[in-house]
Every structure is written in structure tokens, then in C-alpha cells.
Amino acid sequence: MAVPFLPSLLSAQEGRQFDKSATAKSTKRLLWLSMGHGHMEKHFYPKSYGELANISLPPGLAPLKKNLMHMTMVSNLSNNQNMQPHDGSEALLTCANVVGFPGKVRHNSVSCDQIAAGFLGKETRYQSLQLNCRREDADNGHGGVALSYRHGGSPLPGLESPLELYYKIYGGNISREEHLQVLKDRRSILDIMGFESDAAKRILSKDDFAKLDEYSSSLRDVEKAISREASWVDVPYPKAMTKAPKDGLIGEAEIKVMFKLMVAAYLTDSTRVMTYRMPDAGLLKGMSISSSPHTLSHYGSSEVLHKLNLQRTSKWMHLYSQLIDEFRAVKDPLDPKGGTLYDNSLVYCGGGLRTAHRTENVPCLLTGGGFKSLTHGSHIKAKEENTPLANLWTTMLKDAGCKIDRFADANGLADSIWS
């Protein structure tokens, strides 16, 4: 989709800046991928543990055979705080009890990617990028289309198509003056909305005031994003070496292009933190499967649904294997040792639901060489039943260089499982 970042093509000044950065240690990238709904046990979870190349694999993992040495499966991680089993995506990266607060229908917390963004996003155009699927491609909501949540618990808006991500990375071919005018117009709209919300506070009930306060927090975050964008207005976007992707892509075609653009976002150092709520219903639609992910999760004894589940799991694993290939195929321009993007990344692929809306032993696949003490190639089981999923998020944040003690309900580090 885009050629690798080539330091020799930089201007003299940019080249000096790149050389200076190259003397530092390698830069880590974090990526969280959610497949939405879970998988049938007999198709996804091996019955034994150890080296993946030496144990019997379920049929759904067959597409991963060539990349078994570059990935890890972890079992027995659970999202213990999530008491709403229909909303796996909503609490996946927050590990919060979104329905357990008196007086509120919904209450989420900050997601781990936003903690990472605060540490890793200071030098990039975007602190983080949120890639969301379209609502119709999420199926029944099931936590909505967002994985990323602000410190106040409200969902962050995201990009819903490869075309949106393309223009986010490479710009929209507008002049500096046009860009500044767009930012000015957006700020003016925010000023009007802020004024109206301040006026409304004087006549609202307590519950409505709380809702408006969340809304105001969202406005403040948007305002910060506009200010950040304005500070980058004189920094040219990287040059795109290919045409923009087609609009209207669905299913596998959409996901493949999104993967290539995610690699481009990392190679151009547009961001170092990304989340992607992948379109599970859209994937099925592209496979000409009329059943929804929700229907497949309640498979029962139906042989038809069992077969469709296997097709779906196999397709997900095929795409995941291709993503590993993408990360391993390109050199990392920010690695002073000449490593690949794979070498410096920490990538999670899974979801907040196992199957039939269960939140224990959720799917967990890891890849990338950024995990400090993890040697890939095995199926590992956490010794304690329902080990907090937040243990994994804490480990990923620490391994990426974030200065934190623990995240959410973590009671330890996941690296104790494999170190």
C-alpha cells in the first residue's frame, strides 16, 4: 500500500533529526485488535499446552501454521470486572464493570491504549489512532464499535474505513491556509457548543447534569486534539506512493487494506498506538454468510452453525497470519539496529468474549518482538483460574516503556506466566 519510510529521502535538517533519534533505543509500537465475538472451543483452543509446533492444533488454527514460531496463545485470562456479557468490546481494554455503578446506565473507565498514548504519543502527529468498524458491521452492538475510552469513560471517535485512515496518514491534499481555516471553523463550532452547555447547566437535573458533564469532557478532548493538530500544521505529511484505496470495501478486502495502512502509519511514525475493532459482521457478509456473529455464538448442536463457525475462525486466523507477515516484511526506520517492525511491536489479537457471551478465558493471541521476556511459539496457560486480563495490559504497557505500576484490576504481571 505504501513504500517503507526511507531516511535517505529526508531533507538535511530532517536527516539530522533522524540520525539523532537513531542513537536512542528502538521505539515500541502497541496494537490491540478485537475480533468482536468469540470462537467455538473445538475450533480455536488447543487441548494441550507447550510448543505449538509439537501439539495437536484445532482446525481453526490451521492457517497459522507457517507463523507458529512468531505468535503465542495465552489461555485462562478473564475480564473479571465486566458484568455485562453482551458487551465484550466495551470493556475489553478498560477492564471495567460498565453496568455496576448505581444511578448510571453505563459507566466506563479509561482504556489501556490511552494510558499508552500519554507516554508514547508525545512525538507523533497523533497520540493514538482508533479504528472502528461501522455500526452495521459490529452486529447487535455488543459493546459498540469503539475499543478506546477517555479518562472520563466516554468512547473516543474512530475511523471507520481504510479511506479515512489513508487521509489521516497522508493528509487531504489541502493547502496550509485551507487546513488552518478548517481548524478555525471546528474551534468556532466547539465554542458555540461549549457556551450552550454552560447555559444549560443552570436548569438541569442531577442526572442530566452528569450526562452534560461527560459531554463537556468530550468537547475538551476534541479541543485538545484541534490544538495538537494546529501545532503540526507546518510539518508536511509523508508522501503517499500509491493511490487512495477504494471507498466501500467490506469484509476481508477492507481488513487487508486496513492492515497495510496500519503498517504505513507505524512506518511514517504518524502514531505508535492503535486499536482496531474489526468488522466481524462485515467479514461474514463478505464471505456470503447470512448468519450474524451473534447467531454463530449460540451455535448449540446445529451442525450448520458449527461449520460456519469453523469458516469464520479459519478466516480470522488467515488474516492474522497475513498481519504477522506484514510486520515481519518491513524494516523499522526507527530501529538503530536495523530490525523489522515486528521486532519492535507488541500486538494483541482477541476479544472480550469467549463465545456465547462468556468473559472468562477470552481469546488471546500475541505477536511481535516487543514483549521483553516472551519467546513466541507456545500455547501457555495462566496457573490461576480467571487471571485478570488487566495483567496482560499492565505487562504490555510496562514492556513498551510506560511508567505505571498496574492497570485496572491487575493483581500482577502476565510475564510471570511465560518468564
Side-chain angles (χ1 to χ4, degrees):
M1 196 64 198
V3 297
F5 178 62
L6 304 175
S8 61
L9 299 182
L10 295 174
S11 66
Q13 181 179 1
E14 291 171 328
R16 286 193 295 271
Q17 292 174 344
F18 180 84
D19 290 339
K20 184 178 180 180
S21 68
T23 63
K25 58 184 179 181
S26 58
T27 300
K28 296 294 186 289
R29 279 54 162 241
L30 286 165
L31 173 61
W32 284 270
L33 303 168
S34 172
M35 296 175 280
H37 292 67
H39 303 267
M40 287 185 65
E41 284 83 348
K42 70 177 184 178
H43 297 154
F44 184 79
Y45 293 94
K47 293 182 178 180
S48 54
Y49 303 91
E51 293 185 6
L52 289 166
N54 297 328
I55 63 176
S56 178
L57 297 178
L61 299 190
L64 288 170
K65 283 186 177 180
K66 69 173 182 175
N67 277 315
L68 292 179
M69 296 306 296
H70 306 296
M71 55 160 286
T72 297
M73 174 180 278
V74 183
S75 290
N76 216 16
L77 297 179
S78 301
N79 199 345
N80 299 316
Q81 298 302 309
N82 182 18
M83 301 302 173
Q84 175 46 276
H86 278 77
D87 294 328
S89 296
E90 188 172 3
L92 174 61
L93 301 188
T94 66
C95 297
N97 180 6
V98 297
V99 296
F101 291 80
K104 287 191 174 184
V105 178
R106 279 288 190 278
H107 182 87
N108 213 338
S109 184
V110 62
S111 52
C112 56
D113 65 293
Q114 291 307 294
I115 300 296
F119 287 96
L120 305 182
K122 296 177 181 178
E123 299 176 6
T124 55
R125 186 181 294 272
Y126 307 110
Q127 278 196 311
S128 64
L129 284 175
Q130 296 73 238
L131 313 179
N132 298 349
C133 62
R134 292 172 289 270
R135 187 159 297 278
E136 61 269 23
D137 287 338
D139 180 42
N140 287 6
H142 283 76
V145 297
L147 293 177
S148 303
Y149 288 79
R150 299 179 176 90
H151 283 268
S154 57
L156 281 160
L159 310 174
E160 295 185 353
S161 72
L163 186 61
E164 289 182 76
L165 178 56
Y166 179 89
Y167 285 122
K168 200 74 172 175
I169 298 170
Y170 299 117
N173 294 321
I174 62 174
S175 67
R176 178 182 184 277
E177 290 69 26
E178 290 173 317
H179 194 177
L180 286 172
Q181 185 60 48
V182 169
L183 294 177
K184 182 179 178 181
D185 293 342
R186 286 165 60 189
R187 194 182 298 275
S188 297
I189 293 172
L190 283 179
D191 290 341
I192 294 172
M193 296 168 75
F195 173 79
E196 291 178 346
S197 64
D198 287 339
K201 287 179 181 179
R202 293 188 289 270
I203 59 174
L204 293 178
S205 67
K206 182 179 179 180
D207 289 343
D208 286 344
F209 182 87
K211 291 179 182 178
L212 186 60
D213 188 55
E214 289 184 6
Y215 166 77
S216 298
S217 296
S218 299
L219 288 184
R220 286 192 291 271
D221 284 346
V222 173
E223 189 170 23
K224 290 178 182 177
I226 292 175
S227 297
R228 182 183 181 87
E229 194 171 341
S231 70
W232 280 80
V233 73
D234 290 319
V235 180
Y237 285 95
K239 184 178 180 181
M241 304 301 291
T242 186
K243 294 181 179 179
K246 294 179 180 179
D247 200 10
L249 296 173
I250 65 168
E252 180 178 4
E254 176 185 359
I255 296 168
K256 284 183 176 180
V257 175
M258 196 73 93
F259 281 173
K260 289 183 180 294
L261 287 171
M262 287 158 52
V263 170
Y266 285 138
L267 293 180
T268 57
D269 205 26
S270 297
T271 191
R272 296 169 187 174
V273 180
M274 279 192 281
T275 59
Y276 183 20
R277 169 61 164 93
M278 298 186 289
D280 46 353
L283 181 68
L284 292 177
K285 189 187 307 179
M287 296 169 65
S288 299
I289 295 176
S290 58
S291 297
S292 69
H294 184 222
T295 298
L296 295 188
S297 70
H298 293 284
Y299 46 81
S301 60
S302 170
E303 286 300 320
V304 173
L305 293 183
H306 284 217
K307 290 179 180 179
L308 293 177
N309 265 295
L310 176 56
Q311 290 180 39
R312 173 179 171 269
T313 295
S314 297
K315 182 62 71 175
W316 275 131
M317 295 306 98
H318 170 72
L319 289 166
Y320 181 59
S321 186
Q322 288 193 329
L323 178 69
I324 296 175
D325 291 340
E326 296 274 359
F327 273 65
R328 295 184 62 231
V330 293
K331 293 290 185 181
D332 182 353
L334 297 183
D335 187 344
K337 298 179 180 179
T340 64
L341 183 60
Y342 167 91
D343 293 329
N344 298 306
S345 296
L346 299 90
V347 181
Y348 163 87
C349 181
L353 300 174
R354 181 175 182 176
T355 189
H357 316 309
R358 283 180 285 171
T359 58
E360 72 280 357
N361 193 15
V362 294
C364 177
L365 301 174
L366 306 176
T367 191
F371 294 90
K372 287 186 176 179
S373 58
L374 177 59
T375 300
H376 289 301
S378 296
H379 178 209
I380 304 170
K381 181 182 180 181
K383 294 180 180 178
E384 294 185 11
E385 290 295 317
N386 297 323
T387 294
L389 183 61
N391 287 13
L392 175 59
W393 304 157
T394 303
T395 297
M396 290 179 68
L397 291 172
K398 282 180 170 290
D399 283 0
C402 303
K403 307 299 182 183
I404 65 163
D405 294 323
R406 69 169 192 160
F407 177 77
D409 66 324
N411 60 12
L413 294 176
D415 65 4
S416 64
I417 302 171
W418 55 71
S419 61

